Each structure stands twice: as structure tokens, then as C-alpha cells.
Amino acid sequence: MGLKVIIVLFASVLAVASSTSLRYFGAEAKPVKTLAVGTRFVTRSVATVLAEQRKVFVASTCGHLTGHAANITILLNNNPGWDPIKGIVYFYVVDDPTKTESAALCHNHPVGKDAVPSCLVKSWNSGKDLYVITTAGQVSAVSFTVNVQFISPKLVPNMRGEFYSGMRDKDVKFALGTDDFYYLSEIAEISTTQSLTYQTQILLNVTFCANPQTTDNYLIRTTVFGTDGISSYTQHVCNNEDCRINGQHVIGYNGNQLPSNTVDITTQHAQYERLYVLLTCWGGNYEPSVDNYVGRFQYTASMGPK
């Protein structure tokens, strides 16, 4: 009888040990959730528009961002207060560069008011690229940068600032003729801090779109970094949602447990428009409320020429 008890207890200990070993050293944890990553387009260098010149800035979407809201902002580097005497930029947004300002989805020059830095498309329903048509008006030259941020429509009510999409000031004239096209650089990002418990995973859904600037032969750099100073992360990048460590869809990884973890993915013929990034958390502060260690992180990915 005593022998049977000893055998049963020993078997139980082995079962617990085996379970613990699988959990921490052998088996993969199932991703906690899949998170769509935000998208931003920015100028790669400071732009300058001459008097009454027309320049077009392009955010290449490949149809990935239909249904999102689009917030378009111009930063005047030498005139942050938008004083018209110092020179300002007028702009409007369309999904076709041949469309005039009368077809604008939003603009920054309302009737009877000063021009503002931003305009908002509450729902980008086009599968085409987004075009920001700019001019400086009757000034010698204005230096500026462009930022186009695609966000969830749910966030629109919480946005601050002045946005206009109605009547425009018809005194503002945009030159006609051959356009200079400037393709904006695409950045994927999670700019709000996320949390992940120790040795659990999250799957990020990231999209990219090639353009004449990147060509089809481009580099994608994906980075996760801890914001708490005490957690580290690994990354496994896949070309399919069935993304698992040691899985058949892994195309790049960095298995080093680092506070800032980076993976570079190269392409030859624009084959990667959508990637899935599996993050695993290591470390973090102990939080009694969840009886576990919790890491906090942010994420960014960029694409560009090799």
C-alpha cells in the first residue's frame, strides 16, 4: 500500500515537472491576440515649394487602408505659428492627382479663415493612393515636411485641432501643368505603450506598399523595444498568419532576448506587402494584480530602398 502511494506521488511529480518543462522550455505559448499596427507616411527630407509652384506628395496604400481615417499635417519648419507674412502652404487631398481642388476630400484653407496645419478625411474609402497637392501662394519659397497618419475611425471624435472639409477659399490658386511627385516614406507603428506578460506572445499584422522610390527591391526593418527598462523581447517575422517559432512561414527572426530587438527583411520583387510579427516577452516588473511579470513595449517598422 505504501509502495503504491509512493509510486503515485512520484508519477504526479513527474507530470508536474513535465508540464512545467513544456510550458517554459519546449512548447510555444499561443499568441494572446492579433494586433493591427498603425500606418504613417512622412517626407524623407525637408521640402521646399516656390511661389505659386505645385508639388504633389504621394502616400502609396495598395488598398490596405480603406476604411481608415486619414489625418494630413504640414509642419512649417520656419513658421510654426503659420504667420501668412512669413509664408504658408495651402494644400488639399484627393485620390487622383488629376482632380482639382473642387473635388478635395479635405483641405486647409476655409472661406473667411486663416489656413491651418491639418485636414482630416474621416473615412478613406478609396483603394487608390492618397495625394497631397501643395502650393506656397505668392511667396518666394516655404520649407516644410508632410505627415499622413492613418488611424481607426473610432479615434476621430477624440482628435484635437481644426479640420475643414467644406467650402474652400477660392482665392487660393493651384498651378496647373506637369506635377513634381514626391513619394512619402511608410512607417508602421504602435506609438501607445502595450503590455505583455512574461513568456507570452502577441501577433502583429503589418502592411507595406512599394512605390517608385522604394522600387520592388526594398528593405523592411522591424523593431520592438521595451519602455520599462526591465523587459526584453524576441521577434519572429512570417509571411503568413500561421506564425510560429520554428514554423514554415518564418522568413526572419532575432531570437536574442533584447530590450530593443530588430529584424531586417529584404525583398526582390515586392513579395512582402503584409507581414506577421510574433513578439515574445521576457522579463518585466512583477505585478501582484496578475501575479506575473509584465513587460511594456512599443513597436515600429519602416521600409525603404536597400
Side-chain angles (χ1 to χ4, degrees), residues 179-200:
D179 291 317
D180 293 324
F181 286 88
Y182 300 86
Y183 287 87
L184 301 173
S185 296
E186 185 175 1
I187 299 173
E189 62 180 1
I190 300 176
S191 56
T192 56
T193 300
Q194 305 291 312
S195 62
L196 198 59
T197 55
Y198 178 58
Q199 287 191 329
T200 59

Side-chain angles (χ1 to χ4, degrees), residues 8-297:
V8 170
L9 287 174
F10 183 64
S12 299
V13 170
L14 283 177
V16 172
S18 176
S19 174
T20 303
S21 176
L22 287 173
R23 178 181 177 187
Y24 292 113
F25 302 105
E28 297 178 41
K30 184 178 181 180
V32 176
K33 60 181 177 180
T34 300
L35 184 64
V37 176
T39 302
R40 183 190 301 269
F41 295 86
V42 298
T43 42
R44 295 183 65 90
S45 59
V46 176
T48 300
V49 63
L50 304 177
E52 299 186 1
Q53 183 185 24
R54 169 186 168 111
K55 282 189 176 181
V56 179
F57 297 86
V58 187
S60 302
T61 70
C62 291
H64 297 149
L65 300 168
T66 303
H68 287 68
N71 181 25
I72 300 89
T73 301
I74 297 287
L75 171 63
L76 301 182
N77 304 303
N78 302 315
N79 185 14
W82 281 69
D83 182 353
I85 296 176
K86 298 178 182 178
I88 59 177
V89 172
Y90 299 99
F91 70 90
Y92 67 93
V93 177
V94 287
D95 65 352
D96 184 333
T98 64
K99 292 182 177 179
T100 65
E101 56 268 37
S102 62
L105 298 171
C106 74
H107 61 81
N108 77 326
H109 45 284
V111 175
K113 294 185 179 182
D114 293 333
V116 295
S118 302
C119 79
L120 177 69
V121 181
K122 293 184 178 180
S123 182
W124 181 257
N125 293 321
S126 175
K128 301 179 181 178
D129 293 343
L130 182 149
Y131 297 87
V132 184
I133 316 294
T134 67
T135 189
Q138 298 175 345
V139 294
S140 58
V142 180
S143 296
F144 62 99
T145 55
V146 180
N147 182 88
V148 178
Q149 183 181 21
F150 283 88
I151 61 174
S152 167
K154 297 178 181 179
L155 300 178
V156 169
N158 299 323
M159 296 185 65
R160 296 180 179 180
E162 295 182 271
F163 303 100
Y164 303 107
S165 57
M167 294 296 293
R168 58 189 170 76
D169 187 349
K170 294 184 179 180
D171 289 337
V172 178
K173 305 297 183 183
F174 289 80
L176 301 176
T178 303
D179 291 317
D180 293 324
F181 286 88
Y182 300 86
Y183 287 87
L184 301 173
S185 296
E186 185 175 1
I187 299 173
E189 62 180 1
I190 300 176
S191 56
T192 56
T193 300
Q194 305 291 312
S195 62
L196 198 59
T197 55
Y198 178 58
Q199 287 191 329
T200 59
Q201 299 172 321
I202 190 169
L203 187 64
L204 306 183
N205 183 347
V206 189
T207 60
F208 295 97
C209 183
N211 59 51
Q213 176 182 283
T214 64
T215 72
D216 290 346
N217 185 20
Y218 54 86
L219 171 73
I220 296 173
R221 174 162 292 171
T222 168
T223 300
V224 58
F225 54 94
T227 60
D228 51 17
I230 199 171
S231 59
S232 57
Y233 302 86
T234 60
Q235 280 193 96
H236 291 76
V237 182
C238 302
N239 58 5
N240 187 284
E241 191 173 9
D242 180 21
C243 187
R244 294 173 289 109
I245 297 174
N246 300 321
Q248 61 178 324
H249 301 297
V250 175
I251 58 174
Y253 70 94
N254 186 342
N256 295 310
Q257 302 157 357
L258 298 171
S260 180
N261 185 298
T262 296
V263 176
D264 287 343
I265 302 295
T266 57
T267 65
Q268 287 75 45
H269 45 84
Q271 70 267 42
Y272 301 133
E273 286 192 2
R274 185 180 299 274
L275 294 177
Y276 297 89
V277 182
L278 184 67
L279 305 181
T280 305
C281 174
W282 298 86
N285 287 298
Y286 179 75
E287 296 190 7
S289 60
V290 295
D291 189 25
N292 207 336
Y293 296 90
V294 179
R296 286 178 166 76
F297 69 92

